[in-house]
Amino acid sequence: MNIEEQSGNVLTLADVKTGEYCVIVRVMGHGGFRHRLMEMGFVRGEKVKVIRNAPLRDPIEYEIMSGHVSLRRIEAEHVEVVSVTEEVANSYSFHGTVTEETERILGKEGKRIHVALVGNPNCGKTSFFNHATGMREKVGNYSGVTVDSKVGYFKHKGYTIALADLPGTYSLTEYTPEELYVRQYIMEQHPDIVLNVADASNLERNLFLTTQLIDMNVPMVMALNMYDELEKNGDQLDLDTLQELFGFPIIPTVSSKGTGIQEVMANIVNLYENLEQYTKHVHINYGADLEKSIGIIKEGLMEIPDLASHYSIRYLAIELLAGDKTIENLVGKYDNDKKVSALAAEQRAVIEKRYNEDAASIVSGAKYGFVRGALLETYTQGKDKSTQPAYSADKILTNKWLGFPILVFFLWFMFQMTFTLGAYPQAWLESFFGWLGDVITRVLPDGIVKDLLVDGIIAGVGGVCSFLPNILILFFFISILEDTGYMARAAFIMDKLMHRMGLHGKSFIPYIIGFGCSVPAIMATRTLENRKDRILTIITVPFMSCSARLPVYLLIISAFFTKHQGLILTSIYLLGIVMAIVTSLLVKKAAFKQERDQFVMELPPYRIPTFRNAMIHMWDKSVQYLKKMGTVILVATVIIWALEYFPRHGKEVDAYTAQIERVQADETLSAADRDAQVAQLELDRSACQIENSYIGRFGRFVAPVFRPLGFDWQMGVSLITGFAAKEIVVSSMGVLYHSDLEADEHSSALQKSLQTHTWTSGPDIGKPVFTPWVAFGFMVFILLYFPCVAALSAIRREAGRKWLLFNIFYTTGVAWLAAFVVRLVSMVV
């Protein structure tokens, strides 16, 4: 009895109520979205349970194949289902495997083994990589942490193993950049062995990718990761039978603890040593109809010798049958007469007519049929997974009423702790650099060297270094959000709101990463399937205030906002989010009016973050930060100091020097009066020298641009130097404002300089430059104007030159207008 006969009416997935089960009849639509649904397990005969709606009633969370996936309501309407009881079994077709002799394409012989690490997102692949190689790649419990390959080298049994960590992917199709990247890497780089990492707690979905790797005819070893979770649930798996069925070694591992990794490496070496040019290979039997069509296409491909020497012919035949355009283009380069393409189209029409469904769905269904059958023979489920505690926190964290307040609270708490906890080590570092400046002042004679060390390097680089603890605390909290799986929940909660404002819910993940650094956040947009979503996210990620801007905020807030410091900092970050949304709406209406996005995202189980991973994340960021201190920021600081220090002489400066000498020689003055006048004249000479220095002349040139915002020329120059790195803004201010090393115990030297700095010309002469409103406007400008050169380079690489230029001019214009609005408001209130 087929599915339709089990129930009279066919519903859509959007019609099923919370808590109810249903069985999928078919997935309507076309293109990448439809394929992504099938990759996530939405195939004919699969049982689905509706878990809950997001706080704004959209998207909806579903349980399928022991995992949780969220879809928007409008996407769920494309999935036809029938209502069934929980006991209704899935339908499947299982034809086993076939062993055949085949020719493998191997890498170069020698004592080096090239291993490609492939697996689904959230399977623990990168954690495995870190333990195996000793490297410290970022690990995160959400999709899209690894967006490029990283290679680690280590020794095992006399071999050098080069382990390439490839992006996490659900399949090897052509619909997302990471899928294409992984597929092309395997097909073009020809790794000696593919190490397939699979999540033991979600085997059915993870093994879909495995079937594609089997089709590619690559030597394989499987690391069955998170095996402790499978055992904890009371599940049982017959590994011997599964290994025999799949035809490659399968080793249980727990990569977070390092368990089983050595066994995996031993099997890699053993497999490599036993490989021969012609060897036995297991391939999946997809049933008589599909195998007949695959065989016919294979015969056509075998007539093109160059193809057989570079690629797996069976894999090409399967993908051609499924209508993969990228593979069609690849074969077309060798097939001058297009005979194979015509043959594939003919066979595709045959099976589509027979099954009354498109070929891609038929092939995907056959793969899942094999997976279900294999697990039916080898896997026994223990307790009901729907009762597992791994998702129980969602009852509160994604609750209809509590989801949004909890998300806002987490963000506020992260920024408040960054400010509060970081204040203590920040004060210690400021005291250290103040003491160091005092020592150098006393030890070294007056001259250019002392001025460079005290007024240049210590005032500039030291001022930025003091904010390292705050940045580490921020990255610690971001790491916790990533590792627990809450990042994906934030996207789930925010999707409807962001969708209405032109953004994708998954964009929220790059946004959160952007609070740490814009460069990995821009790269993380590769996980967005739609080009429109990627472009909109890329050009708006710079509005997320990265950690490089944090030193400026902490400096300004500490100096001018003694109350509600966490709230002020949070308001800056929220303003960035608002501007990202406004920008996305405008750009979407102007450039992507006809395009729409879809929302399909896995909600990984909650996992307890490891202290080791959090410390690795913080250590890596501290090393990167200190490297930047010793390179880019140090060089920029010295250049800025030199431009401010020279020329030392000029008509006006020499006039002050002569006047100082006259006062010092005037014996009619008392010692106290003489010292007071000399001190004032020296301050006036210093201010005159700065204004006539090279950077002072440049500052006066750009001053008219910033004067309407209430900024003096020093602020303008500091903003311009931030092009290299935003931390340089603080070091520039430390140099240009000549921070007083004798500041009191309640404020840093630079803070005191800012609080006491006054206008030296214009209608406001003698008045303080910085007021709370001017300070806030300055932070707004820092938030909104163009990002650092590294982020701009990432935008150029991911979006192209057009969007790079747009970002530079648009963000700078928005920053100026926003700061000007703050200035106008300050005049009214």
Side-chain angles (χ1 to χ4, degrees):
M1 182 173 66
N2 61 33
I3 296 173
E4 287 86 344
E5 293 172 340
Q6 294 178 19
S7 178
N9 297 319
V10 177
L11 309 170
T12 70
L13 196 56
D15 299 323
V16 184
K17 297 180 180 178
T18 300
E20 293 184 352
Y21 288 87
C22 60
V23 169
I24 296 171
V25 175
R26 64 170 177 158
V27 179
M28 299 177 288
H30 62 279
F33 169 70
R34 186 167 181 272
H35 281 269
R36 175 45 55 93
L37 281 181
M38 291 189 292
E39 292 164 6
M40 302 292 284
F42 289 84
V43 292
R44 182 181 177 89
E46 194 62 44
K47 186 165 62 175
V48 183
K49 181 182 179 182
V50 183
I51 302 299
R52 64 177 53 82
N53 288 245
L56 293 178
R57 304 289 297 165
D58 208 11
I60 305 171
E61 180 181 351
Y62 298 98
E63 181 181 355
I64 184 169
M65 291 188 177
S66 303
H68 288 223
V69 177
S70 58
L71 300 177
R72 289 188 186 138
R73 193 173 297 274
I74 191 171
E75 273 84 52
E77 291 174 353
H78 287 80
V79 182
E80 287 189 356
V81 300
V82 290
S83 297
V84 293
T85 62
E86 188 173 348
E87 287 75 23
V88 173
N90 288 318
S91 61
Y92 61 88
S93 297
F94 178 64
H95 304 280
T97 55
V98 176
T99 302
E100 64 176 10
E101 286 202 354
T102 182
E103 182 179 355
R104 295 191 190 273
I105 302 163
L106 302 179
K108 295 180 180 179
E109 296 180 1
K111 301 297 285 185
R112 172 177 287 192
I113 307 176
H114 178 194
V115 180
L117 195 58
V118 180
N120 280 197
N122 309 311
C123 70
K125 177 174 58 63
T126 300
S127 182
F128 184 101
F129 175 86
N130 288 343
H131 267 282
T133 65
M135 292 181 67
R136 294 171 178 145
E137 188 178 351
K138 181 66 189 78
V139 180
N141 189 17
Y142 64 94
S143 173
V145 176
T146 308
V147 291
D148 207 342
S149 65
K150 292 181 175 63
V151 182
Y153 299 90
F154 61 99
K155 300 283 187 179
H156 190 84
K157 292 186 177 180
Y159 286 90
T160 297
I161 298 179
L163 188 61
D165 183 21
L166 303 183
T169 178
Y170 294 104
S171 76
L172 299 177
T173 55
E174 59 177 346
Y175 294 100
T176 64
E178 68 268 20
E179 290 176 350
L180 278 172
Y181 183 90
V182 174
R183 182 168 76 177
Q184 184 177 8
Y185 187 95
I186 295 173
M187 293 176 67
E188 303 295 337
Q189 299 297 321
H190 302 305
D192 298 312
I193 293 173
V194 169
L195 175 54
N196 179 204
V197 180
D199 181 358
S201 64
N202 193 354
L203 276 173
E204 189 170 358
R205 175 160 334 125
N206 279 246
L207 291 179
F208 180 81
L209 175 62
T210 305
T211 64
Q212 295 176 315
L213 293 171
I214 292 173
D215 291 337
M216 295 183 81
N217 187 24
V218 290
M220 283 177 62
V221 173
M222 174 178 283
L224 197 55
N225 201 30
M226 304 179 192
Y227 201 77
D228 55 339
E229 294 187 14
L230 180 144
E231 294 178 325
K232 188 190 304 180
N233 295 333
D235 300 345
Q236 295 180 351
L237 185 64
D238 185 347
L239 283 174
D240 292 336
T241 303
L242 194 63
Q243 286 182 122
E244 184 178 351
L245 187 63
F246 280 6
F248 51 75
I250 301 176
I251 299 93
T253 63
V254 183
S255 62
S256 61
K257 301 176 182 177
T259 305
I261 292 178
Q262 292 303 310
E263 289 82 352
V264 171
M265 296 305 140
N267 274 273
I268 287 175
V269 171
N270 292 338
L271 179 61
Y272 182 79
E273 290 178 339
N274 294 327
L275 284 176
E276 298 175 356
Q277 186 69 9
Y278 290 89
T279 184
K280 300 291 185 181
H281 168 63
V282 169
H283 77 241
I284 299 168
N285 184 350
Y286 291 118
D289 295 329
L290 285 180
E291 288 297 333
K292 180 180 179 181
S293 294
I294 292 169
I296 292 172
I297 299 172
K298 277 183 65 177
E299 290 179 4
L301 289 169
M302 291 299 292
E303 296 178 5
I304 310 174
D306 289 343
L307 271 177
S309 63
H310 289 87
Y311 306 103
S312 165
I313 294 301
R314 178 174 172 83
Y315 176 73
L316 296 181
I318 293 170
E319 293 303 307
L320 286 173
L321 184 62
D324 190 302
K325 299 298 183 185
T326 304
I327 297 298
E328 285 184 4
N329 293 334
L330 173 67
V331 174
K333 294 178 181 178
Y334 297 85
D335 181 16
N336 295 327
D337 298 328
K338 307 299 180 185
K339 291 181 180 178
V340 175
S341 297
L343 193 63
E346 178 184 319
Q347 291 304 311
R348 197 180 309 126
V350 169
I351 66 165
E352 287 179 347
K353 181 178 180 181
R354 181 174 182 83
Y355 289 92
N356 194 29
E357 199 169 5
D358 71 283
S361 298
I362 298 167
V363 172
S364 295
K367 290 180 182 295
Y368 272 117
F370 167 77
V371 171
R372 292 184 195 128
L375 292 179
L376 188 65
E377 294 191 3
T378 59
Y379 175 73
T380 304
Q381 183 174 313
K383 57 187 177 182
D384 183 6
K385 284 188 168 56
S386 63
T387 63
Q388 286 184 22
Y391 291 96
S392 58
D394 279 336
K395 295 178 181 178
I396 298 174
L397 297 180
T398 60
N399 180 271
K400 180 167 117 176
W401 303 108
L402 299 176
F404 268 110
I406 289 175
L407 175 60
V408 173
F409 170 77
F410 279 161
L411 294 177
W412 170 83
F413 183 77
M414 178 171 68
F415 300 138
Q416 184 67 37
M417 290 299 100
T418 296
F419 198 101
T420 305
L421 296 180
Y424 300 101
Q426 179 189 351
W428 301 334
L429 285 173
E430 288 174 349
S431 299
F432 167 75
F433 285 113
W435 168 82
L436 183 62
D438 288 340
V439 170
I440 293 175
T441 300
R442 290 194 300 267
V443 172
L444 292 181
D446 292 341
I448 187 172
V449 175
K450 185 175 82 171
D451 291 342
L452 170 61
L453 291 175
V454 176
D455 298 331
I457 295 175
I458 293 178
V461 177
V464 180
C465 273
S466 64
F467 294 102
L468 176 61
N470 306 88
I471 292 172
L472 293 184
I473 292 170
L474 176 64
F475 274 106
F476 173 80
F477 280 104
I478 291 177
S479 178
I480 295 299
L481 291 178
E482 293 172 348
D483 295 351
T484 56
Y486 186 72
M487 280 285 205
R489 271 66 183 189
F492 175 71
I493 291 168
M494 293 294 295
D495 177 66
K496 185 171 183 178
L497 180 62
M498 298 186 77
H499 178 55
R500 287 182 174 178
M501 297 177 179
L503 287 165
H504 195 285
K506 287 173 72 173
S507 300
F508 201 70
I509 292 174
Y511 280 2
I512 296 293
I513 299 173
F515 289 149
C517 180
S518 295
V519 176
I522 291 167
M523 295 176 66
T525 60
R526 295 180 186 177
T527 61
L528 296 168
E529 292 85 356
N530 185 284
R531 178 179 177 272
K532 181 264 297 182
D533 296 328
R534 287 197 298 273
I535 295 297
L536 290 180
T537 307
I538 286 169
I539 64 174
T540 53
V541 155
F543 288 127
M544 301 303 106
S545 199
C546 66
S547 60
R549 294 177 170 102
L550 188 59
V552 187
Y553 303 151
L554 297 178
L555 170 68
I556 299 298
I557 291 173
S558 299
F560 300 101
F561 301 95
T562 56
K563 296 181 179 179
H564 310 298
Q565 293 177 330
L567 186 60
I568 295 294
L569 187 60
T570 303
S571 70
I572 291 292
Y573 280 79
L574 290 177
L575 176 62
I577 295 173
V578 170
M579 289 307 304
I581 291 170
V582 172
T583 299
S584 179
L585 276 174
L586 294 174
V587 176
K588 181 180 179 181
K589 290 181 178 179
F592 301 103
K593 189 179 298 184
Q594 303 301 322
E595 298 187 35
R596 64 181 297 270
D597 58 346
Q598 291 101 9
F599 183 83
V600 185
M601 187 180 68
E602 181 181 9
L603 296 177
Y606 287 101
R607 292 192 170 97
I608 298 175
T610 63
F611 180 76
R612 176 181 180 274
N613 186 46
M615 292 299 103
I616 285 175
H617 195 195
M618 292 176 65
W619 171 256
D620 287 347
K621 294 305 174 185
S622 66
V623 170
Q624 291 176 22
Y625 193 74
L626 291 175
K627 282 182 179 178
K628 190 185 289 187
M629 294 299 103
T631 54
V632 176
I633 293 175
L634 176 61
V635 172
T637 298
V638 171
I639 292 173
I640 293 165
W641 172 85
L643 292 175
E644 181 264 349
Y645 192 78
F646 296 104
R648 298 300 296 166
H649 298 286
K651 184 177 179 181
E652 297 178 11
V653 174
D654 291 344
Y656 276 111
T657 302
Q659 190 172 354
I660 291 172
E661 292 174 353
R662 286 195 297 271
V663 170
Q664 290 174 334
D666 190 348
E667 296 180 357
T668 62
L669 297 174
S670 65
D673 290 341
R674 186 184 303 112
D675 291 342
Q677 289 189 34
V678 168
Q680 183 60 50
L681 286 170
E682 286 179 341
L683 286 175
D684 293 341
R685 181 179 63 180
S686 177
C688 179
Q689 191 273 324
I690 291 175
E691 290 191 17
N692 287 280
S693 66
Y694 296 124
I695 204 166
R697 296 169 191 175
F698 174 72
R700 289 200 302 275
F701 175 75
V702 299
V705 176
F706 296 101
R707 187 64 181 87
L709 311 180
F711 302 170
D712 64 358
W713 69 264
Q714 289 98 324
M715 297 167 72
V717 169
S718 299
L719 290 170
I720 293 171
T721 60
F723 172 76
K726 290 298 176 282
E727 298 97 335
I728 295 177
V729 173
V730 173
S731 62
S732 299
M733 296 176 78
V735 173
L736 296 175
Y737 285 105
H738 284 279
S739 53
D740 180 9
L741 295 175
E742 302 298 326
D744 63 62
E745 62 180 353
H746 300 295
S747 64
S748 73
L750 183 52
Q751 288 174 25
K752 183 177 180 181
S753 295
L754 298 182
Q755 291 165 346
T756 58
H757 190 69
T758 58
W759 289 98
T760 57
S761 61
D764 297 322
I765 188 169
K767 294 182 180 179
V769 173
F770 281 93
T771 66
W773 282 104
V774 171
F776 190 80
F778 187 67
M779 289 192 294
V780 168
F781 199 101
I782 290 288
L783 165 73
L784 299 178
Y785 85 124
F786 58 80
C788 69
V789 66
L792 292 175
S793 176
I795 293 172
R796 169 69 176 85
R797 186 169 59 250
E798 300 296 327
R801 183 181 301 174
K802 179 181 74 171
W803 292 109
L804 168 67
L805 295 175
F806 170 82
N807 187 268
I808 292 173
F809 290 105
Y810 174 79
T811 55
T812 304
V814 166
W816 195 95
L817 288 173
F820 185 66
V821 168
V822 173
R823 178 68 168 169
L824 292 178
V825 172
S826 70
M827 295 177 178
V828 174
V829 297

